[in-house]
Amino acid sequence: MKRHVTIKDVARVAGVAPSTVSYVLNGSRAVTAETTKAVLEAVDQLKYRPNPTAQGLVSGAYRTIGVVSAQIYSQYRGRVVAGIHSALRGTGYHPIVSGIEDFAEPDEVLETVMGRGVDALIFHDHFFPPERIAELHRQMPVICVAREIDGMPDRSVLVDEVNGGYLATQHLIELGHTRIAHFVADHHFQGAAQRLAGYRKALEEAGIPFDPALVFQGDNLGDSGLRLAYELLESGVPVTAIFAANDYMAYGAILALHRRGLRVPEHISVVGYDDEHTSGFYVPPLTTIRQEPREMGRTAAEAVLKLLRGEVFRTVVTPTRLIVRESTAAPGHAG
Amino acid sequence: MKRHVTIKDVARVAGVAPSTVSYVLNGSRAVTAETTKAVLEAVDQLKYRPNPTAQGLVSGAYRTIGVVSAQIYSQYRGRVVAGIHSALRGTGYHPIVSGIEDFAEPDEVLETVMGRGVDALIFHDHFFPPERIAELHRQMPVICVAREIDGMPDRSVLVDEVNGGYLATQHLIELGHTRIAHFVADHHFQGAAQRLAGYRKALEEAGIPFDPALVFQGDNLGDSGLRLAYELLESGVPVTAIFAANDYMAYGAILALHRRGLRVPEHISVVGYDDEHTSGFYVPPLTTIRQEPREMGRTAAEAVLKLLRGEVFRTVVTPTRLIVRESTAAPGHAG
DNA sequence: AGCGTTTAGCGAAACGTTTTTCTAAAGATT
DNA sequence: AATCTTTAGAAAAACGTTTCGCTAAACGCT
């Protein structure tokens, strides 16, 4: 019914051999202007498009990059994927994304991604077992985003998470805060410890003693920010600011404060992390740390293409910066 | 270097013909228990995995579903894609998603999706030219999400948008509001008119005259909600409630009200639409209309699979419901 | 002018499967 | 017991490309 037009049809119409059509289309060998013209006309006339599957079979490549990403619902992570898409556009490679479900079984995710055959992999998650990733690394190019794996040097696109934590905390210190709580990101996530390290570094530099009673372990969800803020308030430890390791936890925290009649930033300042798309329209607009997720995605995709071409790639660390909005102010401001 | 193990290798080790291996693996013909065992052992030993490209070549299918989605940054849309992924898992089909960029060129998007070959398409956008979609529809199964196209009966997964607009408005009317503004969704989007129709229907039923001065055309972004709310306030028309046709515009509106010293819901009630993931943690938590994006994605994917198998699919309309949170209250509540 | 070399085209092999066709042995039928 | 049918396996064709090897004509060199 929908008979596909093949290279043979083109060859027949143009009056040449199939191989000549291939040479014209790929420019892989010299062809007379005359023949070229005839072939191109036949291609146009028949609306011929090479069958990618057949091309893939002979080239031995799938022209596909597998992308494993946790928690796609985060706009931040969505933008990393968008960056990958955009860098791959026009290269002939296409991404196949999986791990949309939170914490799907590693094997299942891998099956989804690999089932169709991939030439390389990009991991942007923090739960996939490192040994499994290292094993895959031995078979094909693998790049990790915001994650480093033992035995895989120069295979990561990192963010300066320590600096992110440092900037957030330092901002609060500069405003005059000394009692700053920190809601730690999901412990599966490597950046969690680094953001915490940045937080400690800023405190130390300012001569403020680190108080473990101000540090709470979260899991990145809005609900956890809400719960931790209640916990913090009930613990009775004095506090004038909260640095949440992601925006969702910051949202939850602000809601909890609101419910307890505390206003942000008048009573308590809050800093988030990731600059989700909605954070500029939150009430109050959220001060947060911006990374460049699109840029990270692009870089990861370009790294993979480099490796595929046999070139070398060296781990890059992308910058973080502070976005000051209206959720932070000097303490005692409500007075 | 990374010599792939082929069906011939398996055949050689098992001491049978390649075709026999294929029969064993696909169960497409009877094979002795003895032979089966030998083949399976060889497969295990060599860790053989069939090459999907070669399978695709002979079957003539790509085992790929193209997905064109606008504005993936919306969590709502992301969840539709997640639903598609989840319905496709285990079927051997894989989605290839494009249109991540807002308003990318149709041709470019199509090239990205089709470049690799797809067996069917799912559209979840509102800017792709309908004639182009209808044309593709003649070549392969095509399903549209939240959109209907002339000449393509029974090719849509719809939402009861009219009811959504109705529920939101009726909720406000029940609380006692009569001056209700509506921020219309992006005009490219078919649902925009339907939500507006639901708004008018609720007003009419309650005997409240429709006032065009209360209707503002938005573009779905937070910024537009902000701008329209300022416009509304400056216009001086009396108003006690806003029904925004998506949550982002509601966020922007609430921020604008906040900036003008108006509290939600004490001074003005606000209803959103879509129930984005963050809306439950907004201050105040947002009353909104929930659709079932995952379910819609699943349904669309299942529809496509049905069509691929030659079965019939009839357009389905998925329900909408009202989620009451804390951004709505009776008017005059602030006293 | 005669010889080697480049050029441009053709035909066929190859990629790794599935599927169709063929064959020989085993089993069923009268 | 002789023929017919079923069975289980092998061999070969097919899917649509790219690429290798070959050939004949055109070209360049002395």
Side-chain angles (χ1 to χ4, degrees):
Chain A
M1 43 208 278
K2 41 178 172 178
R3 187 85 198 79
H4 227 163
V5 26
T6 81
I7 202 171
K8 283 184 190 169
D9 300 322
V10 177
R12 191 167 28 71
V13 169
V16 299
S19 47
T20 305
V21 177
S22 176
Y23 290 136
V24 169
L25 262 28
N26 300 315
S28 40
R29 236 169 69 173
V31 182
T32 356
E34 193 187 7
T35 315
T36 303
K37 184 159 163 289
V39 168
L40 259 25
E41 278 174 5
V43 165
D44 257 24
Q45 184 194 327
L46 300 177
K47 295 194 201 310
Y48 167 71
R49 289 176 54 90
N51 179 329
T53 309
Q55 291 180 314
L57 182 59
V58 34
S59 74
Y62 301 100
R63 308 242 113 200
T64 298
I65 312 287
V67 178
V68 174
S69 178
Q71 301 169 318
I72 283 277
Y73 60 76
S74 154
Q75 296 163 334
Y76 166 73
R77 283 171 184 271
R79 278 183 276 177
V80 171
V81 174
I84 293 173
H85 261 93
S86 124
L88 252 30
R89 179 164 289 171
T91 63
Y93 282 89
H94 293 267
I96 280 201
V97 185
S98 189
I100 299 284
E101 327 270 332
D102 324 39
F103 301 95
E105 279 297 311
D107 288 296
E108 196 185 339
V109 169
L110 206 59
E111 183 52 37
T112 306
V113 170
M114 311 270 294
R116 212 168 171 307
V118 298
D119 300 316
L121 286 169
I122 296 176
F123 281 90
H124 185 201
D125 85 317
H126 40 268
F127 68 87
F128 212 91
E131 322 82 51
R132 299 289 304 277
I133 297 183
E135 188 189 325
L136 291 161
H137 165 62
R138 262 169 255 128
Q139 300 168 37
M140 64 181 75
V142 173
I143 290 289
C144 292
V145 176
R147 182 173 184 181
E148 265 185 312
I149 297 205
D150 281 349
M152 287 177 52
D154 286 318
R155 287 294 181 275
S156 292
V157 174
L158 301 173
V159 204
D160 197 347
E161 308 270 15
V162 175
N163 188 240
Y166 176 82
L167 288 174
T169 313
Q170 197 206 24
H171 168 64
L172 291 168
I173 293 171
E174 270 178 6
L175 287 170
H177 296 272
T178 54
R179 301 293 302 170
I180 304 171
H182 180 43
F183 292 179
V184 181
D186 192 296
H187 68 280
H188 291 288
F189 171 50
Q190 286 186 355
Q194 296 168 20
R195 293 174 192 182
L196 175 59
Y199 163 81
R200 296 190 63 157
K201 182 178 160 208
L203 291 180
E204 194 173 337
E205 252 186 49
I208 302 171
F210 171 74
D211 181 354
L214 288 173
V215 174
F216 295 77
Q217 180 61 54
D219 68 4
N220 286 12
L221 267 28
D223 216 34
S224 118
L226 190 86
R227 222 179 42 246
L228 295 181
Y230 284 144
E231 242 178 73
L232 170 61
L233 293 178
E234 274 152 28
S235 77
V237 306
V239 65
T240 61
I242 298 173
F243 164 37
N246 83 347
D247 282 359
Y248 295 134
M249 290 198 292
Y251 296 164
I254 292 176
L255 178 57
L257 296 172
H258 175 76
R259 289 248 162 88
R260 287 286 186 269
L262 295 169
R263 288 208 306 282
V264 175
E266 290 83 350
H267 298 100
I268 290 195
S269 288
V270 175
V271 179
Y273 203 112
D274 282 348
D275 194 22
E276 295 284 347
H277 184 243
T278 42
S279 293
F281 294 98
Y282 203 78
V283 175
L286 193 66
T287 295
T288 186
I289 298 295
R290 176 181 296 174
Q291 307 182 348
E292 299 297 343
R294 277 194 71 92
E295 210 44 53
M296 290 161 60
R298 288 194 69 87
T299 308
E302 282 160 10
V304 149
L305 292 175
K306 257 190 181 168
L307 294 174
L308 245 14
R309 286 192 301 258
E311 302 171 20
V312 312
F313 168 75
R314 310 204 67 84
T315 284
V316 315
V317 178
T318 59
T320 45
R321 62 184 221 268
L322 177 71
I323 305 291
V324 178
R325 294 205 183 94
E326 302 165 35
S327 66
T328 48
H333 185 57
Chain B
M1 43 206 277
K2 40 177 170 176
R3 188 85 198 82
H4 228 165
V5 26
T6 83
I7 201 172
K8 285 184 189 169
D9 299 323
V10 176
R12 193 167 26 73
V13 170
V16 299
S19 48
T20 305
V21 176
S22 176
Y23 291 135
V24 169
L25 260 29
N26 301 315
S28 40
R29 235 170 70 174
V31 181
T32 354
E34 192 186 6
T35 315
T36 302
K37 183 160 165 287
V39 168
L40 260 25
E41 278 175 4
V43 166
D44 257 24
Q45 183 195 325
L46 299 177
K47 295 193 202 311
Y48 167 71
R49 290 176 54 90
N51 180 331
T53 308
Q55 291 180 313
L57 183 58
V58 36
S59 75
Y62 301 102
R63 309 244 113 198
T64 298
I65 311 288
V67 178
V68 174
S69 179
Q71 302 167 316
I72 282 277
Y73 61 75
S74 151
Q75 295 163 335
Y76 166 72
R77 284 169 184 274
R79 276 182 278 177
V80 171
V81 173
I84 294 174
H85 262 93
S86 123
L88 253 30
R89 180 163 288 171
T91 63
Y93 282 89
H94 293 268
I96 280 200
V97 184
S98 189
I100 298 284
E101 327 271 331
D102 322 40
F103 301 96
E105 278 298 310
D107 289 296
E108 196 185 340
V109 169
L110 205 60
E111 182 51 39
T112 306
V113 170
M114 312 268 295
R116 214 168 167 303
V118 299
D119 299 315
L121 286 168
I122 296 176
F123 281 90
H124 184 202
D125 84 319
H126 40 269
F127 68 88
F128 212 91
E131 321 83 52
R132 299 287 305 278
I133 297 182
E135 188 190 324
L136 291 161
H137 165 62
R138 263 169 256 127
Q139 301 167 34
M140 64 181 76
V142 173
I143 289 288
C144 291
V145 177
R147 181 173 184 182
E148 264 184 313
I149 297 206
D150 279 349
M152 288 177 54
D154 286 319
R155 286 296 181 274
S156 293
V157 174
L158 300 172
V159 204
D160 197 347
E161 307 271 14
V162 175
N163 188 240
Y166 176 82
L167 287 175
T169 313
Q170 196 205 27
H171 168 64
L172 291 168
I173 292 171
E174 270 178 8
L175 287 170
H177 296 271
T178 56
R179 301 293 304 170
I180 303 170
H182 179 43
F183 292 180
V184 182
D186 190 297
H187 68 280
H188 292 288
F189 171 51
Q190 285 186 355
Q194 297 169 18
R195 291 174 194 183
L196 174 60
Y199 162 81
R200 295 188 66 155
K201 181 179 162 206
L203 291 181
E204 194 173 338
E205 251 186 49
I208 302 172
F210 171 72
D211 182 353
L214 286 172
V215 174
F216 295 77
Q217 180 62 54
D219 69 3
N220 285 14
L221 267 27
D223 217 34
S224 118
L226 190 84
R227 223 179 40 246
L228 295 181
Y230 283 144
E231 243 178 74
L232 171 63
L233 294 178
E234 274 152 28
S235 76
V237 307
V239 64
T240 61
I242 298 173
F243 162 37
N246 84 346
D247 282 359
Y248 294 135
M249 291 198 291
Y251 296 166
I254 292 176
L255 179 57
L257 296 172
H258 175 76
R259 288 250 162 89
R260 287 286 186 269
L262 296 169
R263 288 208 306 283
V264 174
E266 290 83 351
H267 298 100
I268 292 196
S269 287
V270 175
V271 179
Y273 202 111
D274 282 348
D275 194 21
E276 296 282 347
H277 183 243
T278 41
S279 293
F281 295 99
Y282 203 78
V283 174
L286 192 68
T287 294
T288 188
I289 299 296
R290 177 181 296 176
Q291 307 181 348
E292 298 296 344
R294 279 194 70 92
E295 211 43 55
M296 291 161 60
R298 290 193 68 88
T299 308
E302 281 159 10
V304 148
L305 294 175
K306 256 190 182 166
L307 294 175
L308 245 15
R309 285 190 303 257
E311 302 171 19
V312 313
F313 169 74
R314 310 204 66 84
T315 284
V316 314
V317 178
T318 59
T320 45
R321 63 185 221 267
L322 176 73
I323 305 291
V324 178
R325 294 206 182 95
E326 302 166 35
S327 66
T328 47
H333 184 58

